[in-house]
Amino acid sequence: ELNEKTVIVTGGASGIGRACVARLFDEGANVVAVDLDAQQVQAVIDHLGADERLVAVAADIADAERVDDLVATTVNRFGAVHGLVNCAGVRGVGSVIDVDRHVWDRNLDVNLTGAFNTTRAAARATVDAGGSGPIVTSPSTAGVEGVPNRLAYVASKHGLVGLTRGAALDLAPPGIRVNAVAPGMIRTPMTSVMLDDPEEAERIRREHPIGRIGEPAEVAAAIAFCCRTTRASSPARSSLRTGGSTAGTSSTGERPDD
């Protein structure tokens, strides 16, 4: 279903974004992998075989003009944009009292404004070409519940959920489906600072009824499902890939163990 379709993946150098690049490429898509780290995103392409269906682009998605350029480059290379996967993201530590203003600004710039920039540019290119297709965002469970001492991240991800819902309604008439896949704790470079600590990793594992931490490939599979042209037809659908961590608590007030 993705053969000869062109999908832009932001955050394509690592974690969930990297897994999406590999998964969509395996399913036959042309993939434009975007990341701030030029060397790392090119390494991903090289690892997959430097195929002509793969392109690496270095860009800061918080820069709207740069995003417009990368979408134009995609159209020039492959003829059209058929899909977008928004995986680029940053996070930072800080409460409402002590969060650094730079951390706040950068989280909002990348996680929310960056996703707006890519969504708008990709949607414009798709509509201008008279096409349709999917846009998938990745807000994480921080977009649907609070996390202590992560104010900027939580605020940006809640905003991303709102962006997804609003864009889904705006883009439904021309046939562009906008969906969200919200993963729980996934083993990525961003989460390694927590998961490399045995005690912290065990605490997090106990919060997931499936008894383990999720892997990027599992989230990529859900995102690929949303990208297939004949499925995931309902706009503004959120898919929670949480390992059960948001299902609730036991009668004792604790998360159920495995």
Side-chain angles (χ1 to χ4, degrees):
E1 295 175 71
L2 291 175
N3 285 336
E4 300 183 0
K5 302 297 183 181
T6 300
V7 183
I8 297 172
V9 179
T10 70
S14 65
I16 295 170
R18 177 172 183 157
C20 286
V21 171
R23 177 67 183 241
L24 295 172
F25 174 67
D26 286 346
E27 294 200 15
N30 306 317
V31 183
V32 178
V34 183
D35 202 275
L36 189 61
D37 190 324
Q39 291 185 336
Q40 195 170 352
V41 73
Q42 184 60 52
V44 171
I45 300 305
D46 294 341
H47 177 74
L48 292 173
D51 191 278
E52 64 181 8
R53 293 193 289 112
L54 294 168
V55 176
V57 177
D60 183 350
I61 63 169
D63 183 339
E65 291 186 3
R66 184 71 186 94
V67 169
D68 289 342
D69 288 343
L70 79 86
V71 170
T73 297
T74 300
V75 172
N76 289 336
R77 174 68 179 269
F78 294 113
V81 176
H82 302 104
L84 168 69
V85 175
N86 281 309
C87 283
V90 298
R91 66 189 304 170
V93 176
S95 72
V96 67
I97 293 174
D98 59 21
V99 63
D100 184 85
R101 184 56 187 261
H102 173 73
V103 171
W104 172 268
D105 289 344
R106 188 59 180 163
N107 273 257
L108 270 291
D109 286 348
V110 176
N111 299 346
L112 182 53
T113 301
F116 163 72
N117 290 338
T118 55
T119 298
R120 180 170 67 171
R124 283 176 169 175
T126 301
V127 171
D128 288 347
S132 61
I135 293 175
V136 186
T137 65
S138 183
S140 95
T141 54
V144 295
E145 62 182 15
V147 181
N149 208 40
R150 297 289 190 278
L151 182 72
Y153 185 71
V154 169
S156 66
K157 291 298 187 176
H158 272 70
L160 182 55
V161 170
L163 171 65
T164 304
R165 289 171 171 162
L169 297 177
D170 290 342
L171 297 174
I176 297 176
R177 305 181 309 278
V178 186
N179 292 282
V181 174
M185 181 61 70
I186 305 297
R187 195 177 302 278
T188 70
M190 186 181 289
T191 62
S192 63
V193 66
M194 293 175 286
L195 298 181
D196 288 347
D197 180 332
E199 291 185 3
E200 182 69 1
E202 175 61 16
R203 181 193 66 77
I204 294 170
R205 186 196 68 78
R206 289 177 60 85
E207 291 182 350
H208 292 69
I210 63 170
R212 63 177 177 83
I213 306 301
E215 298 294 335
E218 295 174 292
V219 184
I223 290 174
F225 173 83
C226 292
C227 286
R228 296 186 190 113
T229 56
T230 60
R231 299 179 183 175
S233 58
S234 299
R237 183 177 299 278
S238 294
S239 174
L240 295 176
R241 291 294 181 267
T242 69
S245 64
T246 59
T249 58
S250 69
S251 60
T252 63
E254 297 179 351
R255 299 282 186 183
D257 201 353
D258 59 344

